[in-house]
Amino acid sequence: MYLKLNHATKAALLLGAFAAHAHAETCRISIDSDDKMQFSDARINVAENCTQVELTLHHVGTMPAEVMGHNWVLTRTTDLQSVATEGMAAGPEQHYVPADDARVIAHTRVIGGGESDTITFSTAALKKGDDYTFFCSFPGHWAIMKGTLVFG
Ligand code: ZN
């Protein structure tokens, strides 16, 4: 069936398509970490309309990065253990994150007390309803320092 649209309808449809697909929405998230090896949040919700996330990790403690360093690493939950193990092997120069690893969706650098780091990443790699885990890959921390990220 051929549907003839008038100009006003066509314009409205174009605007609708633009709003749904082309509009960039940066969502800001802030999370704290401390000297007790804790994140301030166990769950992060990213709304479906966020095309990118600007995430800031704060270290509100006082201990240096060498002994109580924290980062924020995002992977699919099924990749958590392997990325954490390989991250430990990657060492402090690489912020305990495997280099150029497709399993790593996003990560900050390792910071110490009083420091913060901000990263921006696209949500294009996130699928609605999938299970993602954020964690600190500093050796020995990921078993405790982790939480769930939900998209959509
Ligand atoms: Zn940590």
Side-chain angles (χ1 to χ4, degrees):
M1 191 182 89
Y2 179 67
L3 185 64
K4 188 167 171 42
L5 301 172
N6 63 33
H7 288 301
T9 308
K10 279 180 186 167
L13 285 172
L14 284 169
L15 277 172
F18 181 81
H21 301 294
H23 182 64
E25 179 75 21
T26 300
C27 300
R28 288 174 181 82
I29 292 169
S30 179
I31 185 166
D32 291 348
S33 56
D34 62 20
D35 286 342
K36 293 177 185 161
M37 220 188 284
Q38 299 280 339
F39 280 127
S40 55
D41 299 272
R43 185 185 169 96
I44 292 173
N45 293 303
V46 177
E48 198 175 0
N49 68 334
C50 303
T51 54
Q52 59 180 11
V53 173
E54 183 187 291
L55 179 133
T56 301
L57 172 69
H58 300 281
H59 191 320
V60 298
T62 58
M63 295 170 76
E66 294 73 29
V67 291
M68 187 52 75
H70 300 310
N71 62 3
W72 187 94
V73 182
L74 181 65
T75 66
R76 292 174 60 100
T77 296
T78 49
D79 292 330
L80 159 67
Q81 193 159 348
S82 58
V83 170
T85 303
E86 290 169 42
M88 189 164 63
E93 311 79 33
Q94 291 186 49
H95 298 278
Y96 300 108
V97 176
D100 301 323
D101 194 313
R103 294 170 299 175
V104 178
I105 298 165
H107 76 90
T108 70
R109 63 189 177 89
V110 171
I111 58 172
E115 298 179 320
S116 64
D117 190 32
T118 300
I119 56 168
T120 302
F121 61 94
S122 167
T123 60
L126 303 178
K127 289 198 190 95
K128 192 179 176 183
D130 272 8
D131 206 5
Y132 301 93
T133 293
F134 64 87
F135 61 99
C136 172
S137 67
F138 191 91
H141 288 197
W142 64 270
I144 298 166
M145 288 188 80
K146 62 184 172 188
T148 301
L149 184 141
V150 177
F151 178 60

